[in-house]
Amino acid sequence: MLHVPKKGGDGGWDPRDLVEPDRAHRACYADQEVFDLEIERIFHRSWIYAGHESQIPNPGDFATFQIGRQPMIMTRAADGSIHVLYNRCPHRGAMLTNEHMGNCGQTLTCSYHSWQFKLDGKVHAIPTPDGYKGTRLSTDNPDCSMKAAPRVQGYRGFWFASLAAEGPDLVTWLGGAKAAFDDMCDRAPEGEVEVVPTCFRVIQKSNWKIFLENQLDALHPSITHGAAGKAASEVEDEIKAETGENAPLQYHYLSAFTTPIYKWDGLQTRGFKYGHCILEGYMGLRPTDPDTLEYEAVMERAYGKARTEEILTTNIHHVLVYPCLSVQAPLQQLRAVRPLGPDRTLTEIWHFRLKGAPEPIYRRSLHYFNLVNSPSTMINADDLYNFWRCQQGLESEGGDWVSFHRNAGQDPEKDGEITSVTGLSEMPMRHMFTAWTDYMGEG
């Protein structure tokens, strides 16, 4: 147990005492007791991302994921409905599957004693039923069915589950963060996206909040990733000198990290209820190459010129859906956050196709997926290294507090929405910790 501020005559403490308006105690990142409370009061009570409906397009399809410490399974039933169940057999407790995704046919079958369950979790068959005569177990007993998540809702194909029976509905809870999914789906000529089944899974040796805080930290990119950006910029210059043509767009994904700090300062972040945040601006994706022009023509045929222009000029680069998602809608990227311990976090990195869009537009998202977000790229490696260094420092006794002082008290708030006074303001970190104290205090 780390040294933390004390509260009460019994020597106990309130997690809200660990957060002040411009700083947070290191126990928020490094203490096991704090982490256990986060799992109980945040991840087991708020809406947590389950997956996209295109991961389970057919009856019998399933995909597994975690909500806090709970192994869950998302299924597609014969009638097309989607269900989220605890991945546990009610007989002896075995997980029904340890595969990430697959198709189980008409029933989920336990590999231990062959209990069978319908795709909505209801028990279908119990082997040797005569052995249960006179006991409490039978196919008529709901306790013999798989336990379902109390609440399951989707928005534009993205599905969430909550282990709490009560709370705001998904759309209310998302609030302004709906823009993450609206922006991505609206960029598809057919108004929908579909997941690319290949997913990167990375275990980061750091606290889950360090990852989320980094995503909208506009000061770090040109510092942390400057070397990779400079190398890409130099290659762009060489291509231009040798061919007279601009380098392919994917080079810009890396060279953009040479953007000077004063330009990052000109961006803006916005904070919404429940801890969600948006970073506006940053990367233009409308060159006048033939691929882009073809895509815009397809969009105009689908939406008309005015609506197409409105969609393609949406000023969003990055959305945090607190506490579980990082979404880069214009690049069809999504990273799900699955905490494993105070110093270990699993991130799942997914990308999507825009239905009806030309193949080169998908290739752009694939390039970003591999060059920026994959575990093998220098950009991700830079971040992972800094995350680890932060975690090591926070577990030391070199100091008790983490600073979020930059522009503290300067960010205006109106109608429950906070706007950063500059792009470099640490408003997103302060805003997420404001939500953290609400969750941790009231669950």
Side-chain angles (χ1 to χ4, degrees), residues 12 19 72 99 151 155 181 198 207 219 236 239 242 260 276 280 291 301 317 329 345 356 376 379 405 441:
V19 178
M72 310 297 292
E99 298 178 8
R151 294 185 296 155
Y155 182 74
F181 313 111
T198 301
N207 188 271
L219 181 58
E236 284 182 318
I239 292 174
E242 292 176 2
H276 314 312
E280 298 179 343
D291 294 335
R301 288 195 292 271
H317 175 63
T345 304
S376 60
I379 303 303
H405 290 78

Side-chain angles (χ1 to χ4, degrees), residues 136-295:
R136 72 186 72 193
L137 298 186
S138 71
T139 55
D140 297 326
N141 186 344
D143 290 341
C144 291
S145 295
M146 296 173 66
K147 184 179 178 180
R151 294 185 296 155
V152 179
Q153 292 180 22
Y155 182 74
R156 300 203 69 168
F158 296 85
W159 284 78
F160 291 73
S162 175
L163 303 186
E166 298 180 355
D169 64 85
L170 177 63
V171 171
T172 299
W173 179 79
L174 285 172
K178 295 193 304 293
F181 313 111
D182 289 334
D183 187 27
M184 192 187 301
C185 293
D186 288 347
R187 290 173 183 272
E190 296 180 15
E192 297 179 344
V193 298
E194 58 184 356
V195 74
V196 178
T198 301
C199 166
F200 290 127
R201 289 180 172 85
V202 181
I203 293 181
Q204 304 174 359
K205 296 181 179 180
S206 54
N207 188 271
W208 62 276
K209 295 184 291 299
I210 294 175
F211 170 80
L212 287 179
E213 291 163 7
N214 178 77
Q215 300 308 291
L216 302 192
D217 181 345
L219 181 58
H220 91 279
S222 57
I223 299 170
T224 299
H225 309 304
K230 184 174 182 294
S233 182
E234 290 173 352
V235 175
E236 284 182 318
D237 292 341
E238 291 174 4
I239 292 174
K240 180 74 172 180
E242 292 176 2
T243 67
E245 302 290 335
N246 292 326
L249 182 62
Q250 57 262 32
Y251 286 88
H252 178 60
Y253 296 154
L254 299 177
S255 65
F257 289 105
T258 61
T259 300
I261 290 174
Y262 76 87
K263 288 190 176 181
W264 292 104
D265 193 40
L267 303 181
Q268 189 175 76
T269 52
R270 289 184 287 144
F272 303 96
K273 191 175 181 181
Y274 303 115
H276 314 312
C277 296
I278 287 179
L279 170 66
E280 298 179 343
Y282 171 45
M283 183 180 286
L285 290 172
R286 294 186 69 183
T288 56
D289 64 296
D291 294 335
T292 301
L293 296 178
E294 179 189 0
Y295 166 58

